[in-house]
Every structure is written in structure tokens, then in C-alpha cells.
Amino acid sequence: LIDSMTEPEGVDLFAEVSDIAGKFMLIGVGVAFAGTIQGFCFPWFVEKLMHRFRPLYFEALLHRDIGWFDVHDASALPAEVGEDLDKWAEGFGNKLGVSIMSTSCVIFGYALGLYLSWQVALVMTVSLPILAVGAMAMGQAMMEMVMETQSSYRQASNVVDEVLYAIRTVVAFGGERRELDRYESAVEIARKGGLKNRIKTGFGIGYIWFAYFASMALAF
């Protein structure tokens, strides 16, 4: 588009712009079609996969040794099973589709960049390790946030299950305030851990965008 505006006189600017706009429209149609296929196929695949995983997961729990149940709270197992299956569904669903899409964009975009202007592509290659460091730091922070938050909220869930199971005893001895303090303490630990890791994630995103625009400034 910019090149068409700097053409010498005698060139039909409107025709040039129309041609470029038509190409962008075709690209948009292709992206919309691919996005529709991605949005339908991966959730359908995950639904079929989870339909097979649930009985297999339950069967695996039934065949555990008795000692395993001594170190795991049986009342928290349903929530843990649901969380694990949700993580599997998330990983094999939209995240898998986005990962394939992003990998394809990197490979074909890099190949196209080398084909069109290998000098600029090589200059941009310098920024890839810098972007990778930011992505690794952000991914590690997000993983720590999920693990820490999941552990803390599981403890809070155990407190709720324990209190509701013995609610008559708790009320008889006037332990409502004590149990509320226990629950608030567990939730507060989860909140502080999530806040700390979200700060790390924010710094990681900021670092990635800084590296991105710095690489653009270096290339252009």
C-alpha cells in the first residue's frame, strides 16, 4: 500500500489499493474459515476424549492401594478429579489449537520473511532469544500461580468439607468463628500467592512487548 502511494505519475492508485484490499479480504476469509474449523474440531475432540477419560480415571482411583487413601483426603478427590480433567480438556482443546496455529505462524512467517528480505529476517532473528526468555519467565510464573492457587484452594475446600460434615459438633461447641478464621486464612494464602504470580506475569508480558517493539525499531 505504501509502495503504491509512492509510484510515479500515470499509475492508477485506486486500482493498486483495490488489488491490495482484495488480497486482504481473501486472507480474512481464509482466516475466518480456519478459525471456524478450529473452534469446532478441537472442542469436539476434547468432548470425546473426556468421555473416555472419566471412567478410566475413576477406575484408576478404585485400584489404588489402601495406603494411598491414608495420605489423600477422600472428600477432596471429586474436586481434584474435576480440576485434573478440566486441565486436560483445556490443554487438548483451545490451547492445542492455538499452539498449532502459533507454531504454523512462526514457521511460515519466518520462511516468508527469508524469502522476501533475508537481510531484515536475519536482523529480526537476533530478537528471538530475547523474546524466548520473556516467554519462559511468564510461562513459569503462570505455572507457579496455578499450582500454588490450586493447593491453597484445595486446603480451603477441605476445611469446608470438614466443617459441613461435622456442623452439629461445630455449632454445639461454638466453633463457628474459629472455622471461619481457618477458612479465611487458607483463602488469604491463595490470594497472596495469586497476586504475587500475577505481578510476575505482568512483568513478563511487558518485557515481551518491549522486546517486540525494540526489535521492530532495530529492523526498520
Side-chain angles (χ1 to χ4, degrees), residues 121-147:
L122 290 180
V123 171
M124 294 292 290
T125 305
V126 178
S127 64
L128 291 180
I130 302 175
L131 292 171
V133 170
M136 290 175 59
M138 186 177 65
Q140 183 66 27
M142 293 181 67
M143 186 179 300
E144 291 177 358
M145 178 179 65
V146 170
M147 297 299 296

PDB file of all heavy atoms in Angstrom, residues 121-147:
ATOM      1  N   ALA A 121      15.157 -10.330   7.855  1.00  0.00           N
ATOM      2  CA  ALA A 121      14.818 -11.526   8.629  1.00  0.00           C
ATOM      3  C   ALA A 121      15.960 -11.930   9.553  1.00  0.00           C
ATOM      4  O   ALA A 121      15.739 -12.328  10.705  1.00  0.00           O
ATOM      5  CB  ALA A 121      14.454 -12.676   7.695  1.00  0.00           C
ATOM      6  N   LEU A 122      17.196 -11.821   9.082  1.00  0.00           N
ATOM      7  CA  LEU A 122      18.341 -12.166   9.927  1.00  0.00           C
ATOM      8  C   LEU A 122      18.494 -11.182  11.077  1.00  0.00           C
ATOM      9  O   LEU A 122      18.867 -11.567  12.197  1.00  0.00           O
ATOM     10  CB  LEU A 122      19.616 -12.210   9.080  1.00  0.00           C
ATOM     11  CG  LEU A 122      19.728 -13.372   8.079  1.00  0.00           C
ATOM     12  CD1 LEU A 122      21.033 -13.285   7.307  1.00  0.00           C
ATOM     13  CD2 LEU A 122      19.637 -14.714   8.824  1.00  0.00           C
ATOM     14  N   VAL A 123      18.227  -9.902  10.806  1.00  0.00           N
ATOM     15  CA  VAL A 123      18.286  -8.911  11.886  1.00  0.00           C
ATOM     16  C   VAL A 123      17.223  -9.213  12.946  1.00  0.00           C
ATOM     17  O   VAL A 123      17.481  -9.151  14.152  1.00  0.00           O
ATOM     18  CB  VAL A 123      18.113  -7.492  11.311  1.00  0.00           C
ATOM     19  CG1 VAL A 123      17.962  -6.473  12.441  1.00  0.00           C
ATOM     20  CG2 VAL A 123      19.304  -7.124  10.449  1.00  0.00           C
ATOM     21  N   MET A 124      16.024  -9.576  12.497  1.00  0.00           N
ATOM     22  CA  MET A 124      14.947  -9.899  13.433  1.00  0.00           C
ATOM     23  C   MET A 124      15.234 -11.173  14.223  1.00  0.00           C
ATOM     24  O   MET A 124      14.727 -11.356  15.328  1.00  0.00           O
ATOM     25  CB  MET A 124      13.634 -10.055  12.679  1.00  0.00           C
ATOM     26  CG  MET A 124      13.133  -8.774  12.032  1.00  0.00           C
ATOM     27  SD  MET A 124      12.622  -7.546  13.236  1.00  0.00           S
ATOM     28  CE  MET A 124      11.151  -8.308  13.877  1.00  0.00           C
ATOM     29  N   THR A 125      16.045 -12.058  13.654  1.00  0.00           N
ATOM     30  CA  THR A 125      16.383 -13.303  14.342  1.00  0.00           C
ATOM     31  C   THR A 125      17.125 -13.038  15.648  1.00  0.00           C
ATOM     32  O   THR A 125      17.037 -13.831  16.589  1.00  0.00           O
ATOM     33  CB  THR A 125      17.228 -14.202  13.425  1.00  0.00           C
ATOM     34  OG1 THR A 125      16.520 -14.408  12.197  1.00  0.00           O
ATOM     35  CG2 THR A 125      17.497 -15.550  14.062  1.00  0.00           C
ATOM     36  N   VAL A 126      17.833 -11.939  15.710  1.00  0.00           N
ATOM     37  CA  VAL A 126      18.577 -11.602  16.933  1.00  0.00           C
ATOM     38  C   VAL A 126      17.627 -11.455  18.123  1.00  0.00           C
ATOM     39  O   VAL A 126      17.985 -11.764  19.267  1.00  0.00           O
ATOM     40  CB  VAL A 126      19.381 -10.306  16.716  1.00  0.00           C
ATOM     41  CG1 VAL A 126      20.116  -9.898  17.976  1.00  0.00           C
ATOM     42  CG2 VAL A 126      20.365 -10.488  15.565  1.00  0.00           C
ATOM     43  N   SER A 127      16.412 -10.991  17.870  1.00  0.00           N
ATOM     44  CA  SER A 127      15.478 -10.742  18.963  1.00  0.00           C
ATOM     45  C   SER A 127      14.770 -12.002  19.457  1.00  0.00           C
ATOM     46  O   SER A 127      14.108 -11.962  20.491  1.00  0.00           O
ATOM     47  CB  SER A 127      14.419  -9.725  18.517  1.00  0.00           C
ATOM     48  OG  SER A 127      13.631 -10.257  17.461  1.00  0.00           O
ATOM     49  N   LEU A 128      14.869 -13.112  18.724  1.00  0.00           N
ATOM     50  CA  LEU A 128      14.154 -14.327  19.121  1.00  0.00           C
ATOM     51  C   LEU A 128      14.579 -14.852  20.500  1.00  0.00           C
ATOM     52  O   LEU A 128      13.724 -15.197  21.317  1.00  0.00           O
ATOM     53  CB  LEU A 128      14.333 -15.411  18.053  1.00  0.00           C
ATOM     54  CG  LEU A 128      13.640 -15.146  16.709  1.00  0.00           C
ATOM     55  CD1 LEU A 128      13.888 -16.298  15.747  1.00  0.00           C
ATOM     56  CD2 LEU A 128      12.139 -14.968  16.923  1.00  0.00           C
ATOM     57  N   PRO A 129      15.890 -14.946  20.807  1.00  0.00           N
ATOM     58  CA  PRO A 129      16.256 -15.399  22.166  1.00  0.00           C
ATOM     59  C   PRO A 129      15.750 -14.468  23.263  1.00  0.00           C
ATOM     60  O   PRO A 129      15.371 -14.918  24.346  1.00  0.00           O
ATOM     61  CB  PRO A 129      17.789 -15.434  22.135  1.00  0.00           C
ATOM     62  CG  PRO A 129      18.138 -15.531  20.693  1.00  0.00           C
ATOM     63  CD  PRO A 129      17.085 -14.767  19.966  1.00  0.00           C
ATOM     64  N   ILE A 130      15.723 -13.166  22.983  1.00  0.00           N
ATOM     65  CA  ILE A 130      15.231 -12.211  23.987  1.00  0.00           C
ATOM     66  C   ILE A 130      13.744 -12.430  24.249  1.00  0.00           C
ATOM     67  O   ILE A 130      13.288 -12.440  25.397  1.00  0.00           O
ATOM     68  CB  ILE A 130      15.495 -10.771  23.507  1.00  0.00           C
ATOM     69  CG1 ILE A 130      16.988 -10.564  23.261  1.00  0.00           C
ATOM     70  CG2 ILE A 130      14.979  -9.759  24.516  1.00  0.00           C
ATOM     71  CD1 ILE A 130      17.330  -9.209  22.665  1.00  0.00           C
ATOM     72  N   LEU A 131      12.976 -12.633  23.173  1.00  0.00           N
ATOM     73  CA  LEU A 131      11.552 -12.922  23.340  1.00  0.00           C
ATOM     74  C   LEU A 131      11.340 -14.257  24.038  1.00  0.00           C
ATOM     75  O   LEU A 131      10.415 -14.408  24.841  1.00  0.00           O
ATOM     76  CB  LEU A 131      10.870 -12.928  21.974  1.00  0.00           C
ATOM     77  CG  LEU A 131      10.767 -11.584  21.247  1.00  0.00           C
ATOM     78  CD1 LEU A 131      10.274 -11.789  19.820  1.00  0.00           C
ATOM     79  CD2 LEU A 131       9.819 -10.645  21.986  1.00  0.00           C
ATOM     80  N   ALA A 132      12.185 -15.231  23.740  1.00  0.00           N
ATOM     81  CA  ALA A 132      12.036 -16.549  24.358  1.00  0.00           C
ATOM     82  C   ALA A 132      12.251 -16.486  25.862  1.00  0.00           C
ATOM     83  O   ALA A 132      11.557 -17.168  26.629  1.00  0.00           O
ATOM     84  CB  ALA A 132      13.014 -17.539  23.724  1.00  0.00           C
ATOM     85  N   VAL A 133      13.199 -15.669  26.313  1.00  0.00           N
ATOM     86  CA  VAL A 133      13.439 -15.525  27.755  1.00  0.00           C
ATOM     87  C   VAL A 133      12.199 -14.981  28.456  1.00  0.00           C
ATOM     88  O   VAL A 133      11.774 -15.473  29.503  1.00  0.00           O
ATOM     89  CB  VAL A 133      14.663 -14.613  28.003  1.00  0.00           C
ATOM     90  CG1 VAL A 133      14.776 -14.261  29.479  1.00  0.00           C
ATOM     91  CG2 VAL A 133      15.934 -15.302  27.538  1.00  0.00           C
ATOM     92  N   GLY A 134      11.587 -13.950  27.865  1.00  0.00           N
ATOM     93  CA  GLY A 134      10.369 -13.398  28.450  1.00  0.00           C
ATOM     94  C   GLY A 134       9.225 -14.391  28.465  1.00  0.00           C
ATOM     95  O   GLY A 134       8.478 -14.490  29.442  1.00  0.00           O
ATOM     96  N   ALA A 135       9.084 -15.154  27.384  1.00  0.00           N
ATOM     97  CA  ALA A 135       8.015 -16.148  27.325  1.00  0.00           C
ATOM     98  C   ALA A 135       8.220 -17.246  28.355  1.00  0.00           C
ATOM     99  O   ALA A 135       7.264 -17.701  29.008  1.00  0.00           O
ATOM    100  CB  ALA A 135       7.938 -16.744  25.923  1.00  0.00           C
ATOM    101  N   MET A 136       9.462 -17.679  28.548  1.00  0.00           N
ATOM    102  CA  MET A 136       9.749 -18.724  29.545  1.00  0.00           C
ATOM    103  C   MET A 136       9.469 -18.216  30.953  1.00  0.00           C
ATOM    104  O   MET A 136       8.889 -18.935  31.775  1.00  0.00           O
ATOM    105  CB  MET A 136      11.204 -19.175  29.417  1.00  0.00           C
ATOM    106  CG  MET A 136      11.503 -19.966  28.160  1.00  0.00           C
ATOM    107  SD  MET A 136      13.260 -20.356  27.972  1.00  0.00           S
ATOM    108  CE  MET A 136      13.554 -21.300  29.476  1.00  0.00           C
ATOM    109  N   ALA A 137       9.865 -16.981  31.245  1.00  0.00           N
ATOM    110  CA  ALA A 137       9.619 -16.418  32.575  1.00  0.00           C
ATOM    111  C   ALA A 137       8.124 -16.282  32.842  1.00  0.00           C
ATOM    112  O   ALA A 137       7.642 -16.603  33.936  1.00  0.00           O
ATOM    113  CB  ALA A 137      10.313 -15.065  32.703  1.00  0.00           C
ATOM    114  N   MET A 138       7.373 -15.826  31.837  1.00  0.00           N
ATOM    115  CA  MET A 138       5.933 -15.677  32.011  1.00  0.00           C
ATOM    116  C   MET A 138       5.256 -17.031  32.163  1.00  0.00           C
ATOM    117  O   MET A 138       4.364 -17.218  32.995  1.00  0.00           O
ATOM    118  CB  MET A 138       5.341 -14.924  30.811  1.00  0.00           C
ATOM    119  CG  MET A 138       3.867 -14.591  30.975  1.00  0.00           C
ATOM    120  SD  MET A 138       3.236 -13.625  29.594  1.00  0.00           S
ATOM    121  CE  MET A 138       3.411 -14.823  28.265  1.00  0.00           C
ATOM    122  N   GLY A 139       5.675 -18.026  31.377  1.00  0.00           N
ATOM    123  CA  GLY A 139       5.101 -19.362  31.500  1.00  0.00           C
ATOM    124  C   GLY A 139       5.381 -19.987  32.846  1.00  0.00           C
ATOM    125  O   GLY A 139       4.507 -20.638  33.432  1.00  0.00           O
ATOM    126  N   GLN A 140       6.592 -19.803  33.369  1.00  0.00           N
ATOM    127  CA  GLN A 140       6.931 -20.333  34.689  1.00  0.00           C
ATOM    128  C   GLN A 140       6.094 -19.674  35.770  1.00  0.00           C
ATOM    129  O   GLN A 140       5.623 -20.340  36.703  1.00  0.00           O
ATOM    130  CB  GLN A 140       8.421 -20.120  34.959  1.00  0.00           C
ATOM    131  CG  GLN A 140       8.916 -20.699  36.276  1.00  0.00           C
ATOM    132  CD  GLN A 140       8.848 -22.212  36.300  1.00  0.00           C
ATOM    133  OE1 GLN A 140       8.923 -22.849  35.252  1.00  0.00           O
ATOM    134  NE2 GLN A 140       8.712 -22.783  37.483  1.00  0.00           N
ATOM    135  N   ALA A 141       5.887 -18.359  35.663  1.00  0.00           N
ATOM    136  CA  ALA A 141       5.070 -17.654  36.659  1.00  0.00           C
ATOM    137  C   ALA A 141       3.628 -18.135  36.619  1.00  0.00           C
ATOM    138  O   ALA A 141       2.998 -18.323  37.668  1.00  0.00           O
ATOM    139  CB  ALA A 141       5.140 -16.141  36.406  1.00  0.00           C
ATOM    140  N   MET A 142       3.101 -18.364  35.430  1.00  0.00           N
ATOM    141  CA  MET A 142       1.726 -18.838  35.324  1.00  0.00           C
ATOM    142  C   MET A 142       1.589 -20.252  35.881  1.00  0.00           C
ATOM    143  O   MET A 142       0.591 -20.585  36.528  1.00  0.00           O
ATOM    144  CB  MET A 142       1.276 -18.791  33.857  1.00  0.00           C
ATOM    145  CG  MET A 142       1.167 -17.389  33.295  1.00  0.00           C
ATOM    146  SD  MET A 142       0.601 -17.340  31.585  1.00  0.00           S
ATOM    147  CE  MET A 142      -1.081 -17.919  31.779  1.00  0.00           C
ATOM    148  N   MET A 143       2.591 -21.108  35.645  1.00  0.00           N
ATOM    149  CA  MET A 143       2.544 -22.462  36.185  1.00  0.00           C
ATOM    150  C   MET A 143       2.591 -22.441  37.706  1.00  0.00           C
ATOM    151  O   MET A 143       1.847 -23.164  38.384  1.00  0.00           O
ATOM    152  CB  MET A 143       3.717 -23.275  35.624  1.00  0.00           C
ATOM    153  CG  MET A 143       3.683 -24.751  36.010  1.00  0.00           C
ATOM    154  SD  MET A 143       5.071 -25.664  35.305  1.00  0.00           S
ATOM    155  CE  MET A 143       4.788 -25.388  33.556  1.00  0.00           C
ATOM    156  N   GLU A 144       3.476 -21.596  38.265  1.00  0.00           N
ATOM    157  CA  GLU A 144       3.549 -21.476  39.722  1.00  0.00           C
ATOM    158  C   GLU A 144       2.242 -20.940  40.292  1.00  0.00           C
ATOM    159  O   GLU A 144       1.799 -21.374  41.363  1.00  0.00           O
ATOM    160  CB  GLU A 144       4.706 -20.547  40.107  1.00  0.00           C
ATOM    161  CG  GLU A 144       6.080 -21.122  39.825  1.00  0.00           C
ATOM    162  CD  GLU A 144       7.179 -20.140  40.158  1.00  0.00           C
ATOM    163  OE1 GLU A 144       6.844 -19.000  40.571  1.00  0.00           O
ATOM    164  OE2 GLU A 144       8.363 -20.494  40.010  1.00  0.00           O
ATOM    165  N   MET A 145       1.599 -20.003  39.580  1.00  0.00           N
ATOM    166  CA  MET A 145       0.335 -19.451  40.048  1.00  0.00           C
ATOM    167  C   MET A 145      -0.742 -20.527  40.101  1.00  0.00           C
ATOM    168  O   MET A 145      -1.499 -20.627  41.073  1.00  0.00           O
ATOM    169  CB  MET A 145      -0.106 -18.309  39.132  1.00  0.00           C
ATOM    170  CG  MET A 145      -1.444 -17.678  39.503  1.00  0.00           C
ATOM    171  SD  MET A 145      -1.901 -16.312  38.410  1.00  0.00           S
ATOM    172  CE  MET A 145      -2.100 -17.200  36.864  1.00  0.00           C
ATOM    173  N   VAL A 146      -0.804 -21.356  39.073  1.00  0.00           N
ATOM    174  CA  VAL A 146      -1.819 -22.412  39.036  1.00  0.00           C
ATOM    175  C   VAL A 146      -1.584 -23.425  40.153  1.00  0.00           C
ATOM    176  O   VAL A 146      -2.512 -23.808  40.880  1.00  0.00           O
ATOM    177  CB  VAL A 146      -1.811 -23.103  37.659  1.00  0.00           C
ATOM    178  CG1 VAL A 146      -2.686 -24.348  37.682  1.00  0.00           C
ATOM    179  CG2 VAL A 146      -2.296 -22.147  36.590  1.00  0.00           C
ATOM    180  N   MET A 147      -0.326 -23.859  40.321  1.00  0.00           N
ATOM    181  CA  MET A 147      -0.026 -24.876  41.331  1.00  0.00           C
ATOM    182  C   MET A 147      -0.263 -24.350  42.743  1.00  0.00           C
ATOM    183  O   MET A 147      -0.866 -25.024  43.582  1.00  0.00           O
ATOM    184  CB  MET A 147       1.422 -25.333  41.180  1.00  0.00           C
ATOM    185  CG  MET A 147       1.712 -26.016  39.853  1.00  0.00           C
ATOM    186  SD  MET A 147       0.740 -27.512  39.611  1.00  0.00           S
ATOM    187  CE  MET A 147       1.367 -28.535  40.923  1.00  0.00           C
TER     188      MET A 147
END
